[in-house]
Amino acid sequence: MTGIRGLARHLNISIGTVSRALNGKADVNAETRRRVLEAATALGYSPNQSGRSLRNGKTNLIGVLIPTSREKTLLDFGFAEVLDGIRRVFEEHGHDLAVFLYAGGDDPFLHMRRIAERRLADGLVIADTLRTDPRIDYLLEKEIPFVAFGRSRSGGSHQWVDIDFPGAVTQAVDRLVMQGHRRIGLVLTDKELHFLGLVRDAFKRAMKSSGLHFESELIQRQSHGEDSGYLGAEKLLALPEPPTAILTQNGNVAVGLYRRLNDAGLRPGIDVSVISLIGDVQSQFLSPALTSFQTDLWEIGAQLGQALMVEVRGGPGVPRPAPTQLLMPMSISPGESDGRAALRAAPRRKQ
């Protein structure tokens, strides 16, 4: 690979002339431009992106901030589809993706601020939004282009794309009520993510609108991952009147829930109905097959990319359209883990 200095030496012309020819400046004659472009192709010219970034303040990178841990990362097969949707949009505009991982126990605000202050990317995609998220307030204050994968109470008017989890909760409760269930539980992790609060509130509303008795013990928030499902199911089964159906947060939680039901001698889909709000890779081998919700993850990524592209291409004084604030619908994917309550025996617990 040859840089601009090597190209100038090869042609025996100035670096400035080579630079202007490569950038299509009008003050370079056609013959010189032709020689420069042909030599650049023949010698494998590679522009110094760092130098360009220093000159024009652009990196042509879009940063995606992803929390990770031993047990779980957003960078699973599902989120890979989201990333591909984002990548495709920005590839069309000459930008590349840079993934910045941080430990789940780290402060996401401090991690994001380090990335922003070092100007490692022209724009940022943040996920795992909190109910009150200081990252959003900071990015708005500093006028740094960003889009949030998930809503928040912070920031007011800003770009976000989210999944309609409350709508999925309503669909799930309606489905279970139609199957004859009157006692329904909900198992979530104990993370303080905004979408979990939305799920909890939507569950309460759906129970009330269906005329079902609600008590706080029907919502279990325990630990995280499979442990959440196992411990949450344990608490629900210990109630004086255990639920005949349980909603879970995702496939990882459902794995733990299945395990606890099995320990209690209960069969998903026969003794206790189970529906997951997210169908993911962690649940694909569960038996019986898990009833869950699906959404177009690639399209979510594309929408995130398009929303952020508006911010990245804009600048001071450039009029912007109203911010993208989009809810992506979910549809149920029937499995074998739910069914009519009248067909199952009353839940029993091992002593």
Side-chain angles (χ1 to χ4, degrees), residues 69-114:
S69 66
R70 285 186 177 182
E71 70 147 25
K72 176 71 174 174
T73 176
L74 270 176
L75 195 58
D76 55 22
F77 290 116
F79 200 71
E81 288 188 55
V82 176
L83 287 178
D84 190 57
I86 298 172
R87 178 197 60 79
R88 186 67 59 84
V89 170
F90 279 96
E91 184 180 64
E92 294 173 358
H93 297 278
H95 286 71
D96 294 310
L97 281 186
V99 175
F100 298 99
L101 300 177
Y102 62 95
D106 289 351
D107 186 330
F109 171 72
L110 295 178
H111 175 263
M112 181 220 65
R113 193 173 68 179
R114 287 197 301 271

Side-chain angles (χ1 to χ4, degrees), residues 248-265:
T248 70
Q249 177 178 327
N250 55 36
N252 208 22
V253 176
V255 169
L257 190 148
Y258 266 50
R259 189 157 51 88
R260 184 63 185 90
L261 292 179
N262 181 69
D263 288 350

Side-chain angles (χ1 to χ4, degrees), residues 4 34 79 89 153 163 201 227 234 244 250 255 267 280 286 335:
I4 194 168
R34 182 190 64 77
F79 200 71
V89 170
R153 289 181 176 177
I163 300 173
D201 295 343
D227 287 346
E234 187 168 68
T244 60
N250 55 36
V255 169
R267 295 162 295 176
D280 49 27
L286 284 176

Side-chain angles (χ1 to χ4, degrees), residues 51-293:
R52 285 188 171 187
S53 299
L54 289 172
R55 289 192 297 273
N56 61 25
K58 297 290 185 181
T59 65
N60 289 332
L61 291 176
I62 299 301
V64 184
L65 312 182
I66 299 178
T68 185
S69 66
R70 285 186 177 182
E71 70 147 25
K72 176 71 174 174
T73 176
L74 270 176
L75 195 58
D76 55 22
F77 290 116
F79 200 71
E81 288 188 55
V82 176
L83 287 178
D84 190 57
I86 298 172
R87 178 197 60 79
R88 186 67 59 84
V89 170
F90 279 96
E91 184 180 64
E92 294 173 358
H93 297 278
H95 286 71
D96 294 310
L97 281 186
V99 175
F100 298 99
L101 300 177
Y102 62 95
D106 289 351
D107 186 330
F109 171 72
L110 295 178
H111 175 263
M112 181 220 65
R113 193 173 68 179
R114 287 197 301 271
I115 302 299
E117 289 177 348
R118 293 162 64 189
R119 300 183 182 181
L120 297 179
D122 297 334
L124 298 174
V125 180
I126 63 173
D128 268 8
T129 50
L130 306 176
R131 183 168 291 232
T132 302
D133 201 316
R135 296 176 299 174
I136 292 174
D137 296 324
Y138 174 86
L139 292 168
L140 287 171
E141 178 187 352
K142 300 297 183 181
E143 298 185 343
I144 296 172
F146 79 99
V147 63
F149 183 14
R151 286 169 283 175
S152 172
R153 289 181 176 177
S154 295
S157 181
H158 66 274
Q159 307 271 25
W160 58 258
V161 178
D162 202 359
I163 300 173
D164 188 11
F165 289 109
V169 171
T170 301
Q171 290 183 61
V173 171
D174 288 347
R175 178 183 177 90
L176 292 170
V177 169
M178 288 290 292
Q179 292 172 349
H181 295 278
R182 294 297 177 265
R183 292 280 289 176
I184 303 171
L186 173 66
V187 177
L188 305 172
T189 61
D190 60 0
K191 293 184 177 180
E192 292 305 317
L193 303 178
H194 188 39
F195 91 92
L196 294 179
L198 295 174
V199 166
R200 179 195 61 212
D201 295 343
F203 179 72
K204 292 179 181 178
R205 290 194 302 271
M207 294 282 282
K208 182 177 180 180
S209 65
S210 297
L212 302 182
H213 173 68
F214 173 78
E215 56 197 61
S216 59
E217 289 80 5
L218 288 173
I219 299 179
Q220 290 295 323
R221 304 192 67 173
Q222 302 285 334
S223 184
H224 47 267
E226 290 184 29
D227 287 346
S228 175
Y230 191 92
L231 297 174
E234 187 168 68
K235 293 287 187 180
L236 290 173
L237 294 177
L239 293 176
E241 187 181 354
T244 60
I246 302 174
L247 300 185
T248 70
Q249 177 178 327
N250 55 36
N252 208 22
V253 176
V255 169
L257 190 148
Y258 266 50
R259 189 157 51 88
R260 184 63 185 90
L261 292 179
N262 181 69
D263 288 350
L266 301 172
R267 295 162 295 176
I270 297 177
D271 299 309
V272 180
S273 278
V274 179
I275 297 178
S276 176
L277 296 177
I278 304 175
D280 49 27
V281 68
Q282 284 81 5
S283 62
Q284 64 179 331
F285 298 116
L286 284 176
S287 180
L290 182 65
T291 297
S292 60
F293 284 84

